[in-house]
Amino acid sequence: GRTLAVPALTADRTITLPAPVAGASFKFVYGGAAEETENLIIVTPGNTNFFLGGVLHITGTPASIYADGNSNSKLTLTDFGLMEITIEAKDDTNYYIWGYQQGADAPAFADQ
C-alpha cells in the first residue's frame, strides 16, 4: 500500500503497474496547483491484466466511468485536476480500481 503524489506534468506521463500480486495496492493523488493540460495514463503490465471497477468524474453532473471488466487495461485521465485513484490487485491477473477525477474531460478506460 503506497500513496504516490503525481506532480504537475510537463508532458503526458504513463505509469505502468507491476505484475499484480493479490492485495498489493497503490493510491495516486494529484499534487499540482492547477488543472493539467497533459494526460496521466495508468496501464497494467499487459492486456491480460485488466481493471475491475471504475472512477467518478466530477464536473457539472458527476458521472461514473467503468472499465468493461474483461479487457480494459488502460486508464487515461485527460487534462485532469484534483484526483485520487486507488488500485488494488484482486489476484495475480486483475486489479480493482476506484476513485475520482475532477476536470473538464472525462476519464476513459480502453485496451492497450
Side-chain angles (χ1 to χ4, degrees):
R2 250 182 110 161
T3 299
L4 305 160
V6 176
L9 304 177
T10 56
D12 289 356
R13 175 152 315 152
T14 299
I15 296 172
T16 303
L17 299 171
V21 175
S25 63
F26 307 89
K27 182 187 292 187
F28 298 94
V29 297
Y30 182 51
E35 189 169 309
E36 285 292 323
T37 57
E38 289 76 30
N39 302 335
L40 177 66
I41 303 158
I42 302 172
V43 298
T44 67
N47 272 331
T48 58
N49 310 110
F50 50 86
F51 292 119
L52 304 168
V55 296
L56 180 65
H57 179 223
I58 302 172
T59 189
T61 302
S64 298
I65 311 296
Y66 292 97
D68 67 4
N70 63 23
S71 66
N72 288 165
S73 55
K74 175 181 176 181
L75 170 65
T76 301
L77 305 177
T78 302
D79 301 340
F80 63 97
L82 296 174
M83 64 92 166
E84 182 176 306
I85 305 292
T86 302
I87 299 170
E88 183 169 331
K90 173 184 181 249
D91 49 32
D92 64 354
T93 303
N94 303 316
Y95 288 97
Y96 291 121
I97 187 167
W98 67 91
Y100 66 87
Q101 176 223 320
Q102 176 276 326
D105 297 297
F109 286 97
D111 298 352
Q112 288 182 55

